[in-house]
Amino acid sequence: MTESSQPRPSTVADEAVPEQGLSRRGLLALGGGAGLAAGALAGGFATAAFTSKTTALSDTLEYPFHGEHQGGIVTPAQDRMHFAAFDLRADVTRDDLIELLQDWTYAASRLVMGLDVSAKGAFGGGPYLPPDDTGEAAGLGPSGLTITFGFGRTLFRAEDGADRFGLAAQLPAEFGPLPKMVNDFMDPARSGGDLCIQACANDPQVAVHAIRNLTRIGFGRSRLRWSQLGFGRTSSTSTAQVTPRNLFGQKDGTNNLKAEEPERLTEHVWISDGPVWSRGGSYLVARRISMTIEVWDGLQLQEQNRLLGRDKASGAPLSGGEEFTAPDFAATDAGGQLAIDQRSHVFRTHPDNNEGIAMLRRGYNFVDGNDDIGRLDAGLFFVAFVKSPERFAKVHQNMARDDMFVEYLKTTSSSVFLIPAGIAEGEYVGQALFG
Ligand code: HEM
């Protein structure tokens, strides 16, 4: 199991934090270029693993930043998410990209500890400069924040085929685009991106603060392409968690891969083939799926159960038992019909009906206002971690083709990012790619 899945108590000692992590360009992006007079950058790249915090913290749950795998995958799913995808500016060089990843790593290693993005932070830069940190998370504590970085396909080869950063030879062969599916209504402006950052926390303001400040550090190098807020986790990623409910009111995450199953994670989640730099990482598939909840709400309860293949109240499979009983796809009901309909969501997506393929789902509910006839713009920001995009596509194709659920869904955004392996102390995210 990854070290990053283990919580540890926060430290609250009061000590000075050396300002040696952000590059000159990163500090300029924050508007604090004059602060460079301190000359503290000479020490080179370093993360903030050795630093501590001075504030009284309201939520001290803290996950380690360094480890075999990045946090935010098997970490017990937090309650909130802010997900962001970025494009790199046309004039960014390979060295600029490396520097950006170093800056983000440094800032992220501080943020997960409940610290500001730099030692001067929100209030310590003096009255004549814009503060390095925007300040809205001061005093909120780490709140279980994890920050997960990912690389889009276009980082390796742009849409026009250009090898902008000399990375094309490092593109894993399996990192292709997902095939188009039934009920895909893609908005390209809300899909893809050169880089992504997933910030999950138990306090929404902590997650938003992380994305906002990392976006700010990237100014002049990266541009926010699209972003999504999520609330109410729709999965469990640890057996210690209670199964939550999605906006259809169903228990969601019952038969998910869990942190306590290291062998299954090795089999289904962690990349083991392809370029050496990518191994130990994972592929993140993100799909913004709108749910026609007003239509769904008008369905009889028994029909809602049939479409899923599970009992809405208990989460038990319709073949019987309790929530965690394995579904029996051959079981029949009193009328001799299959208890779990072959077009139900559980039937279509279960490993038994998909060459044994499983995935680690880690999505969130969203409500982004409403349309002009009063229907909520609501749904599931579906996130899954898989060993290869092709494995996801196989299950998804099986679902999209025949799943009765699909009638109530409309997917408006789809992206795949390669999540590099975990970050060691003193390294930056994805360092092995540039070796
Ligand atoms: C808005 C869209 C979706 C909703 C509301 C939804 C809801 C659910 C629910 C309630 C379950 C049963 C409980 C559980 O085992 O977690 C489930 C299972 C599952 N879903 Fe979805 N899901 C959605 C989209 C997807 C998509 C796009 C995929 C990707 C192929 C997917 C893959 C799975 C898998 C693999 C399972 C576990 C099946 C099993 O092993 O029994 N779901 N989903």
Side-chain angles (χ1 to χ4, degrees):
M1 180 174 29
T2 168
E3 292 161 42
S4 297
S5 67
Q6 295 302 306
R8 67 179 185 201
S10 285
T11 50
V12 287
D14 184 358
E15 55 189 61
V17 181
E19 178 62 5
Q20 57 184 2
L22 287 182
S23 68
R24 171 180 294 270
R25 209 158 164 191
L27 283 169
L28 283 170
L30 299 179
L36 286 170
L41 293 179
F45 176 71
T47 59
F50 51 89
T51 60
S52 58
K53 54 192 74 63
T54 56
T55 39
L57 304 174
S58 59
D59 182 344
T60 57
L61 176 64
E62 181 181 328
Y63 293 109
F65 182 70
H66 300 102
E68 188 185 352
H69 305 291
Q70 289 195 60
I73 304 175
V74 298
T75 311
Q78 301 93 324
D79 285 341
R80 307 294 182 132
M81 179 212 64
H82 195 180
F83 192 99
F86 299 84
D87 282 335
L88 290 161
R89 284 173 51 125
D91 59 350
V92 164
T93 65
R94 182 183 168 107
D95 286 345
D96 295 336
L97 169 60
I98 290 172
E99 199 175 69
L100 173 65
L101 295 173
Q102 290 175 337
D103 285 350
W104 275 354
T105 303
Y106 172 74
S109 73
R110 296 181 56 94
L111 289 168
V112 299
M113 297 170 77
L115 294 163
D116 290 347
V117 290
S118 74
K120 293 192 185 103
F123 314 113
Y128 304 112
L129 289 171
D132 283 358
D133 189 289
T134 52
E136 72 273 26
L140 294 180
S143 298
L145 175 69
T146 53
I147 297 176
T148 318
F149 296 100
F151 297 159
R153 207 169 169 276
T154 49
L155 189 73
F156 301 85
R157 198 176 276 293
E159 297 292 2
D160 63 5
D163 181 7
R164 291 177 291 167
F165 309 111
L167 297 175
Q170 300 295 338
L171 175 71
E174 62 196 4
F175 194 176
L178 292 177
K180 186 174 172 348
M181 304 286 178
V182 178
N183 278 11
D184 275 0
F185 298 89
M186 292 309 165
D187 176 358
R190 257 187 178 171
S191 305
D194 295 334
L195 298 162
C196 80
I197 306 178
Q198 173 196 257
C200 298
N202 292 321
D203 185 317
Q205 189 139 320
V206 169
V208 168
H209 171 260
I211 292 296
R212 176 180 177 192
N213 281 270
L214 293 169
T215 302
R216 200 164 165 251
I217 287 171
F219 279 166
R221 295 175 284 183
S222 56
R223 184 185 64 82
L224 190 58
R225 179 180 169 96
W226 60 270
S227 61
Q228 180 69 49
L229 284 172
F231 68 91
R233 63 184 170 89
T234 58
S235 70
S236 298
T237 53
S238 163
T239 51
Q241 292 184 294
V242 170
T243 313
R245 290 187 185 266
N246 60 33
L247 292 181
F248 281 159
Q250 305 158 323
K251 285 196 175 188
D252 201 343
T254 302
N255 199 22
N256 200 16
L257 286 176
K258 307 259 159 69
E260 293 80 5
E261 303 177 289
E263 282 165 20
R264 293 190 76 209
L265 293 172
T266 300
E267 185 185 346
H268 296 290
V269 174
W270 309 126
I271 299 170
S272 51
D273 300 322
V276 175
W277 75 267
S278 68
R279 297 186 195 163
S282 189
Y283 286 93
L284 181 159
V285 178
R287 292 175 68 85
R288 184 181 182 278
I289 308 176
S290 295
M291 292 155 54
T292 53
I293 53 175
E294 291 81 3
V295 183
W296 174 267
D297 294 345
L299 293 177
Q300 292 177 357
L301 180 59
Q302 63 174 2
E303 180 65 356
Q304 294 186 1
N305 290 343
R306 191 175 73 91
L307 297 184
L308 178 63
R310 286 183 179 275
D311 177 74
K312 190 174 175 183
S314 65
L318 295 182
S319 49
E322 47 80 54
E323 183 188 351
F324 294 100
T325 306
D328 176 355
F329 295 113
T332 49
D333 60 19
Q337 302 291 321
L338 284 177
I340 301 178
D341 196 300
Q342 293 196 336
R343 294 181 60 214
S344 67
H345 184 57
V346 164
F347 185 96
R348 302 313 306 177
T349 54
H350 192 278
D352 283 2
N353 306 320
N354 290 286
E355 302 169 29
I357 300 171
M359 59 184 80
L360 187 143
R361 288 168 288 138
R362 213 176 186 286
Y364 288 85
N365 300 316
F366 69 83
V367 176
D368 292 342
N370 55 273
D371 66 16
D372 52 6
I373 56 166
R375 292 175 307 196
L376 287 178
D377 178 3
L380 174 70
F381 187 71
F382 176 93
V383 172
F385 292 90
V386 282
K387 203 185 194 78
S388 75
E390 191 204 351
R391 291 165 68 94
F392 173 84
K394 267 193 185 148
V395 181
H396 195 235
Q397 205 123 34
N398 200 19
M399 167 186 169
R401 205 178 45 231
D402 259 336
D403 198 320
M404 293 180 289
F405 236 34
V406 172
E407 211 175 310
Y408 303 88
L409 311 176
K410 180 178 163 191
T411 306
T412 52
S413 141
S414 177
S415 314
V416 184
F417 295 96
L418 196 162
I419 307 299
I423 305 162
E425 301 243 5
E427 284 188 354
Y428 61 90
V429 65
Q431 186 163 326
L433 172 60
F434 301 90

